[in-house]
Amino acid sequence: MRDVYQEQLDELAGALAGMCTQVADAMSKATRSLLEVDLQLAEEVISEDVRVDEIRAQAEERAFALLALQAPVATDLRIVVSAIHGAGDIERMGDLALHVAQAARRRHPHPVLPDEVAPYFAEMGRVGVELALKAGDVIRSRDLTRAAELESDDDAMDDLHRHMFTVLMDRNWSHGVGPAVDITLLARFYERYADHAVAVARRIVYVVTGQMPGPLTV
């Protein structure tokens, strides 16, 4: 019975790690749809988002079943509770990638991004995808060193997010209010996406140590 129970816990972790891979792919495609003005990629992200929602629902069902049938304690209880919260964080990452894709679709066939800011969004996309993939690795391995790396990796996203405001406030900005609003919202989507990846890593720290790192507002 214990072996079956452990397999169920491993399957739950595997489902969450798989979600991380999916939302990384979604953000990669969403970013490319922005940079390349690619409607097909945007549509793929939008249509595939439902799959992330389905996996979250399945993961939560598994977690609640474990709570009801196994009455876990100590580390096992932390795993199950963290899985429930982590599934919500990862689903939200998928939603944020969806918002990016929707922005690309809404402005198509026109580009959302002026040329001078496109490289910054390319970098935000790269950082976001790496954070999501690393969060999946941390779920599988429970490696606290890797979990801590996400905190420092997130600093790069925060720096890019802040830099967008510098660009928008520059007196030489010539693209008007509409693009400025789009860029502000998009930068916030990427910044929040990264925050949720960090939140997932922090939940793994809690699983391993029993101590939750400082609060993160997302």
Side-chain angles (χ1 to χ4, degrees):
M1 289 295 293
R2 179 67 191 179
D3 289 343
V4 172
Y5 176 43
Q6 188 59 53
E7 286 178 7
Q8 292 172 327
L9 291 175
D10 291 343
E11 288 173 0
L12 183 58
L16 296 182
M19 283 181 70
C20 287
T21 300
Q22 284 195 293
V23 299
D25 185 57
M27 184 54 88
S28 176
K29 288 180 178 178
T31 301
R32 286 170 55 203
S33 74
L34 272 184
L35 298 173
E36 300 169 16
V37 196
D38 190 322
L39 181 60
Q40 181 177 342
L41 280 174
E43 294 288 5
E44 285 180 20
V45 174
I46 292 165
S47 64
E48 291 169 0
D49 181 66
V50 66
R51 181 57 183 152
V52 176
D53 297 341
E54 290 171 352
I55 296 174
R56 177 197 176 170
Q58 293 167 2
E60 287 184 340
E61 287 178 7
R62 288 180 181 176
F64 285 124
L66 287 168
L67 286 175
L69 299 176
Q70 302 291 348
V73 297
T75 299
D76 290 348
L77 178 60
R78 295 199 297 271
I79 291 172
V80 176
V81 172
S82 294
I84 294 170
H85 290 293
D89 284 310
I90 302 166
E91 183 196 29
R92 186 61 183 142
M93 292 167 72
D95 290 340
L96 291 161
L98 171 66
H99 294 337
V100 173
Q102 287 172 329
R105 182 176 69 175
R106 185 169 58 251
R107 298 300 185 194
H108 192 271
H110 303 291
V112 180
L113 303 174
D115 289 343
E116 61 262 44
V117 302
Y120 298 109
F121 279 90
E123 181 64 7
M124 283 192 280
R126 185 194 66 78
V127 172
V129 169
E130 288 189 359
L131 281 163
L133 293 175
K134 189 174 287 187
D137 289 343
V138 169
I139 291 171
R140 294 184 185 94
S141 66
R142 299 186 198 172
D143 185 328
L144 298 185
T145 300
R146 293 280 281 172
E149 288 175 5
L150 270 82
E151 296 275 0
S152 58
D153 293 345
D154 181 51
D155 290 342
M157 185 70 84
D158 290 339
D159 289 343
L160 288 162
H161 182 232
R162 284 190 293 269
H163 183 70
M164 282 299 98
F165 291 101
T166 302
V167 173
L168 295 175
M169 296 300 292
D170 191 294
R171 67 179 62 187
N172 294 319
W173 178 257
S174 61
H175 302 285
V177 174
V181 171
D182 285 339
I183 289 167
T184 300
L185 289 173
L186 286 165
R188 178 61 172 156
F189 295 153
Y190 282 92
E191 190 257 348
R192 292 184 68 196
Y193 181 97
D195 283 347
H196 282 285
V198 173
V200 171
R202 288 182 173 185
R203 297 190 195 285
I204 300 303
V205 174
Y206 170 67
V207 166
V208 175
T209 68
Q211 299 292 322
M212 179 66 83
L216 182 69
T217 301
V218 292

